[in-house]
Amino acid sequence: MTNFPFLQNPGQNPPKPVRLSMPHPSAAMLRSTSSLRSLLHLSARLLRPPNPRLPRPPHPRLPRPPHPRLPSYPLAARPRFLSSSSSSSAPTTGGVGWATYDLVTDSLRASAVLPSPSASDPEPPAESNSWAVFDPASGRIVKQRSPPSSSTSAAAAKEEEEDEEEEEEGEGAGEGEEKGRVRASARVAKAQTSWSSVAAPRKPAGKGGKEKFSFVCSNCKEADSQWWGFCRYCNAAGTLEKYVPGTGGNASAEGSHIARSWIPQKSKEIVPQSLQEVNKGVNQAKWRIPLSGSFGVEIARVLGGGIVPGSLILVGGDPGVGKSSLLLQLASNILEGFKVEESSPVVYVSGEESIEQIGNRADRMSITSSKLYLYSGTEIEDILDKIQPLSPRALIIDSIQTVYVKSFAGSAGNLAQVKECTSALLRFAKLTNIPVFLIGHVTKSGDIAGPRLLEHIVDVVLYMEGERCSSHRLLRSVKNRFGSTDELGVFEMAEFGLQAVLNPSQMFLTEHDSDSEILAGLAVAVILDGSRTFAIEVQALCVSGSHRSGQVVGIPSRRADVIISVLMKQAGLKLQDNAIFLNVVSGFELTETAGDLAIAASICSSFLEFPIPNDVAFIGEIGLGGELRTVPRMDKRVMAIAKLGYKKCVVPRTSEKLLKPLNLDIEILPCSNLKQFINAIFRPQG
């Protein structure tokens, strides 16, 4: 054990004393066994192997080169230890004694009297509630008014305290066992971690809890995790600036504006509830927000019956297809279902247009509702602040790629910004029961721009489709948590906005004279898109002796090659020397196999130059053996074609039994293979 020499020089002004959490008295001035034991613990810690993370001066008997981080300690900065405790008696040399630890010589230097402030030591004596801890950053022992928060120091102090308590004289066996049980139960309770701690933000291991930051280009506003000297997006040099998020990179951290806005109750007060309690007093028939008119009925069909309160709905589509017009009309339709006096407003927020431009479009579509509020902004926090006094019935954001959150790096439209803005609006919708509609841009491939996670966050994903040369628009449901994804809305772009199509089955049909020669090579196919039935026209043109290869428009080329090969092999048609051209009227994409029979009928009609009557429709799939196969929902297809006035329908023979009980005003022509089909349709009428 190391010997501790003591210096007693009352004439000098001793260093300022600092009282520790556990007093460590010196051996020369202590008389009780407990105080001597504390000194032994202190000396044992001094001889303990050094912590590699904390600098420590070299031992005097083990010469080593000085540590480069070890600072020099002036005499007034050395720590001092009180040499008496409450359990020990008064020291022999009057008053309270003080011991000073010298880090250079690894020894304690004692003084007999309490030091008094002087010019050399301007600081007053330490207060009774002062604590001394070692600061690894400065390499010295510093004072603080509160106990040390480090788990290591607290555990060491608690261990020493327990050792002293166990060895104190006069402690009974029963009392010791009781204290042991209390300590054990306290340790078990401390070891149990609450479930909420797994979601708490943690500091990165091994990095000392370094602050996260990124580098943002001042030119294009793109962010990068490393500094490259130039921006890798716009190649601008010297434009990268260090950006430290205000909430540590977490927009939902405590204290964030988005986290505390629109929260009706604290999360600690929310507890799991049974299904009966959730549905108690809720009328499911009147739960959804109703939509009126033919336009509203078409939207409600796609959404599954109406707008669900608190839902987050994403609408995507090509530029110019009519997304903004659709949602502006939807906002007006929501207000039509309520009285003007009792209705809450609907807020339309645009980050791309001014409110004057939106008002001009609303005037063109004859929208004059006084409860429709317009706002132009791009900051999520600002938007939520501005709409909070209005308490809107619905919120529309146009578009999600133009808004941003201040606490995250990067410009609007960045992958991180799109994700965080959508997450913030999702929390807003769920906490307030206000439905939120988002407009999303699409990429060149037709997918919604941004991370794929965007479509997983929202409740409903709708795609608006339509050709520029056509006035018809299709609103398709890709994801719907509150209804079926088989529904399809059909609209027509008119001068005053979108109008619902009452009979979508006639959209892709044209009127022809039954005696016209252009009917050769024309056949009608009955297909399903979602839950809607469409009758479309397929055209074929066979050019004999042509050295050019045929072209296919609106039909998968591989599927067309298979059908042509089956006609040559199984039906015996000599199509080798013909260039075959196929087309679907009105630019429709025929991807369903139910149109195989109509494609074969159009090719046979053009090759044989035999016009098909305009009151005949075709439903069926063609196999490689020339057999006709049934397709799903045959009854719904035949019922839809019968309502359009068709007199005959060619179907596979396997579906004849299913269609007989319907008693429809249409003649069913069942066929087993292509040869029976050609003999039934392409034969001279007697």
Side-chain angles (χ1 to χ4, degrees):
M1 177 178 292
T2 306
N3 296 325
F4 299 95
F6 297 94
L7 300 177
Q8 298 182 1
N9 190 0
Q12 297 181 355
N13 185 19
K16 183 182 70 172
V18 177
R19 188 174 69 84
L20 294 179
S21 60
M22 288 296 298
H24 300 283
S26 60
M29 305 181 67
L30 299 177
R31 294 178 296 180
S32 64
T33 56
S34 61
S35 300
L36 180 60
R37 188 176 299 108
S38 300
L39 182 61
L40 296 179
H41 280 296
L42 174 63
S43 61
R45 285 206 306 271
L46 293 175
L47 295 177
R48 194 173 297 167
N51 191 342
R53 296 184 180 181
L54 303 179
R56 180 183 173 186
H59 198 277
R61 292 187 296 179
L62 298 176
R64 291 183 299 177
H67 199 281
R69 294 179 57 185
L70 181 65
S72 60
Y73 296 95
L75 183 62
R78 296 171 184 169
R80 284 142 291 195
F81 304 90
L82 182 63
S83 61
S84 63
S85 62
S86 58
S87 59
S88 60
S89 58
T92 55
T93 59
V96 181
W98 296 83
T100 304
Y101 174 68
D102 192 348
L103 294 176
V104 179
T105 60
D106 196 11
S107 60
L108 291 175
R109 304 175 63 182
S111 60
V113 296
L114 182 68
S116 58
S118 61
S120 62
D121 191 7
E123 299 181 2
E127 299 178 1
S128 59
N129 57 350
S130 299
W131 299 78
V133 295
F134 181 78
D135 186 7
S138 59
R140 57 184 296 181
I141 295 179
V142 297
K143 294 184 298 179
Q144 65 180 24
R145 295 186 177 274
S146 59
S149 59
S150 173
S151 58
T152 307
S153 60
K158 185 176 181 180
E159 183 180 354
E160 293 178 7
E161 196 175 283
E162 291 176 357
D163 293 341
E164 290 186 7
E165 289 179 357
E166 289 175 0
E167 296 180 6
E168 283 183 356
E169 298 179 358
E171 185 178 15
E175 186 180 355
E177 293 178 359
E178 182 66 23
K179 288 187 177 181
R181 285 194 297 269
V182 172
R183 293 194 197 101
S185 61
R187 289 171 183 171
V188 172
K190 204 171 187 179
Q192 294 177 351
T193 307
S194 61
W195 288 5
S196 60
S197 63
V198 299
R202 301 176 182 270
K203 295 182 179 180
K207 297 183 180 179
K210 292 184 178 179
E211 195 173 24
K212 295 182 179 181
F213 58 88
S214 58
F215 296 92
V216 181
C217 176
S218 59
N219 184 27
C220 63
K221 304 302 181 182
E222 292 292 339
D224 205 329
S225 60
Q226 297 182 1
W227 187 86
W228 297 92
F230 66 96
C231 180
R232 297 192 297 172
Y233 301 93
C234 64
N235 296 326
T239 58
L240 293 181
E241 300 177 357
K242 186 176 180 181
Y243 178 83
V244 180
T247 57
N250 186 6
S252 61
E254 185 177 359
S256 174
H257 173 82
I258 300 179
R260 67 173 182 265
S261 297
W262 292 90
I263 297 181
Q265 53 185 343
K266 297 181 180 179
S267 59
K268 294 182 179 180
E269 299 176 358
I270 303 176
V271 295
Q273 298 180 3
S274 64
L275 180 62
Q276 290 76 10
E277 294 177 353
V278 173
N279 293 332
K280 185 178 180 181
V282 178
N283 188 357
Q284 298 294 337
K286 300 181 179 179
W287 179 48
R288 295 175 182 255
I289 299 176
L291 299 174
S292 59
S294 59
F295 176 85
V297 170
E298 204 70 15
I299 296 289
R301 178 200 300 271
V302 181
L303 295 178
I307 302 175
V308 175
S311 59
L312 187 62
I313 302 172
L314 177 64
V315 181
D318 295 332
V321 75
K323 302 184 296 295
S324 301
S325 299
L326 175 72
L327 291 185
L328 193 59
Q329 285 185 253
L330 179 61
S332 176
N333 192 278
I334 293 174
L335 297 173
E336 290 177 1
F338 304 92
K339 296 181 180 179
V340 179
E341 297 79 8
E342 302 175 357
S343 174
S344 298
V346 176
V347 181
Y348 186 99
V349 179
S350 177
E352 301 171 339
E353 301 176 282
S354 64
I355 58 176
E356 291 79 12
Q357 293 173 331
I358 305 172
N360 184 21
R361 186 190 305 119
D363 181 69
R364 177 171 50 87
M365 293 188 295
S366 301
I367 298 176
T368 59
S369 177
S370 61
K371 289 291 185 176
L372 179 58
Y373 283 75
L374 307 178
Y375 182 68
S376 181
T378 56
E379 186 182 325
I380 290 293
E381 294 92 333
D382 174 67
I383 293 172
L384 297 184
D385 277 339
K386 296 298 174 58
I387 69 173
Q388 185 168 358
L390 299 175
S391 297
R393 187 176 298 274
L395 174 65
I396 299 174
I397 303 294
D398 183 10
S399 65
I400 189 61
Q401 279 81 14
T402 60
V403 295
Y404 67 96
V405 179
K406 288 193 302 184
S407 57
F408 282 85
S411 59
N414 196 345
L415 298 182
Q417 285 286 1
V418 170
K419 173 187 172 183
E420 295 303 327
C421 290
T422 308
S423 301
L425 292 173
L426 176 68
R427 292 191 296 270
F428 162 76
K430 301 307 177 185
L431 291 173
T432 60
N433 256 1
I434 296 177
V436 179
F437 292 85
L438 308 177
I439 293 180
H441 297 169
V442 296
T443 60
K444 294 180 180 179
S445 60
D447 299 328
I448 295 179
R452 193 68 178 180
L453 181 63
L454 176 62
E455 301 184 25
H456 292 277
I457 294 176
V458 300
D459 298 318
V460 181
V461 179
L462 305 179
Y463 275 87
M464 198 168 184
E465 304 173 357
E467 298 292 335
R468 290 184 177 272
C469 58
S470 175
S471 61
H472 293 98
R473 301 290 186 266
L474 302 179
L475 186 63
R476 194 183 306 275
S477 175
V478 178
K479 173 188 176 182
N480 192 354
R481 290 175 177 167
F482 317 114
S484 174
T485 57
D486 292 336
E487 298 296 339
L488 184 70
V490 184
F491 302 91
E492 184 178 5
M493 182 64 75
E495 182 181 358
F496 301 103
L498 293 169
Q499 304 294 330
V501 177
L502 300 179
N503 193 357
S505 299
Q506 301 183 19
M507 281 175 30
F508 307 105
L509 294 178
T510 56
E511 296 182 0
H512 302 288
D513 187 5
S514 59
D515 297 331
S516 176
E517 296 180 356
I518 64 173
L519 290 179
L522 181 64
V524 177
V526 184
I527 65 169
L528 282 177
D529 195 338
S531 63
R532 311 298 288 269
T533 305
F534 297 94
I536 63 173
E537 295 179 352
V538 180
Q539 294 177 331
L541 177 63
C542 296
V543 182
S544 60
S546 176
H547 300 286
R548 298 179 56 186
S549 60
Q551 300 293 330
V552 179
V553 179
I555 302 172
S557 58
R558 294 183 179 180
R559 192 66 188 172
D561 293 340
V562 169
I563 295 175
I564 294 173
S565 301
V566 172
L567 286 174
M568 291 189 296
K569 176 68 176 177
Q570 305 299 339
L573 298 181
K574 305 299 182 181
L575 301 175
Q576 293 86 349
D577 298 333
N578 290 266
I580 300 176
F581 298 85
L582 295 174
N583 178 46
V584 179
V585 177
S586 300
F588 194 90
E589 293 290 335
L590 181 58
T591 58
E592 194 181 7
T593 57
D596 291 354
L597 192 57
I599 297 173
S602 63
I603 295 175
C604 293
S605 175
S606 178
F607 178 75
L608 300 175
E609 296 183 357
F610 191 98
I612 299 176
N614 58 355
D615 58 351
V616 180
F618 302 90
I619 307 173
E621 179 183 353
I622 298 177
L624 293 180
E627 75 278 8
L628 301 186
R629 297 176 176 270
T630 186
V631 293
R633 310 291 297 274
M634 288 291 299
D635 52 347
K636 188 173 184 178
R637 300 172 194 264
V638 176
M639 291 172 62
I641 207 70
K643 292 179 180 179
L644 293 177
Y646 283 78
K647 301 301 181 181
K648 297 179 182 180
C649 184
V650 181
V651 298
R653 188 173 295 275
T654 54
S655 60
E656 182 181 6
K657 295 181 179 179
L658 176 65
L659 300 176
K660 273 187 177 181
L662 298 179
N663 296 323
L664 299 175
D665 188 15
I666 187 173
E667 182 182 355
I668 303 298
L669 301 177
C671 299
S672 300
N673 49 50
L674 286 176
K675 290 183 178 180
Q676 292 184 9
F677 155 70
I678 294 175
N679 293 332
I681 300 299
F682 303 100
R683 64 180 179 183
Q685 299 294 331

